[in-house]
Amino acid sequence: PGNTYIFQTQDYFWQTNTEFLNLQGDRYSADERDYFGSDVGIDEEYFYIGSSNEHTARGSFSGASYYIPTPPVIFLHPPVCESELAIQLQAYPFGGSWSGQGVDASGRFEPALVGPGTFTLTYRTPNCSNEGTVKIDVKPRTVISQVTPANV
């Protein structure tokens, strides 16, 4: 109780993570908890964190709200085959721009253009104040080969 975390990962399997925020309330005892993080909200510009029992200039246990600029929230993609069709990349806040190898102006990633490998793509928020990255793993085409005689 009393903690709020914001994590972002770059890959589908959560192996490369960034901790954007680790905020902690200032009271933990059962009778005086500030309930920091009991309410959270998000819009295109900020994350909001509520602390319903925070002591403020208005009085004891009067409550408070905190906010931080919203880092980009990027939708992750599982590994894709080299032969798959283009993927429409998505991130929040909406309306930003994508860049990276295999990305076109509309924010579509084309695995066939880049071939096998791991590609880091960058998303810049509409107000250009934040940047986020995502890694997409492109697997080579599957080649089927005969390993037994044809009559088996």
Side-chain angles (χ1 to χ4, degrees):
N3 294 337
T4 299
Y5 303 93
I6 297 174
F7 287 95
Q8 183 182 65
T9 187
Q10 293 180 4
D11 61 275
Y12 188 73
F13 297 106
W14 285 79
Q15 295 173 344
T16 309
N17 304 312
T18 302
E19 184 178 308
F20 278 110
L21 180 69
N22 177 353
L23 296 176
Q24 190 172 54
D26 59 0
R27 293 188 314 280
Y28 305 105
S29 66
D31 58 339
E32 278 200 27
R33 285 196 180 130
D34 57 10
Y35 294 101
F36 182 84
S38 59
D39 292 305
V40 294
I42 184 174
D43 68 14
E44 288 190 15
E45 295 191 31
Y46 296 101
F47 279 137
Y48 300 92
I49 301 111
S51 182
S52 59
N53 283 352
E54 184 74 31
H55 294 321
T56 69
R58 299 247 182 225
S60 295
F61 303 106
S62 59
S65 293
Y66 299 89
Y67 63 94
I68 64 156
T70 302
V73 178
I74 298 174
F75 292 71
L76 303 174
H77 291 278
V80 296
C81 284
E82 177 182 15
S83 58
E84 284 190 39
L85 298 174
I87 300 166
Q88 181 62 54
L89 301 171
Q90 296 179 330
Y92 182 86
F94 306 117
S97 60
W98 285 96
S99 61
Q101 192 176 356
V103 177
D104 66 16
S106 67
R108 291 169 51 97
F109 174 73
E110 300 206 31
L113 288 178
V114 294
T118 301
F119 300 90
T120 301
L121 311 176
T122 303
Y123 181 75
R124 184 174 291 276
T125 57
N127 61 8
C128 297
S129 64
N130 289 306
E131 225 177 57
T133 59
V134 64
K135 293 181 181 179
I136 296 184
D137 195 18
V138 178
K139 301 293 184 188
R141 297 174 198 256
T142 303
V143 178
I144 299 174
S145 59
Q146 184 175 343
V147 294
T148 61
N151 62 349
V152 173

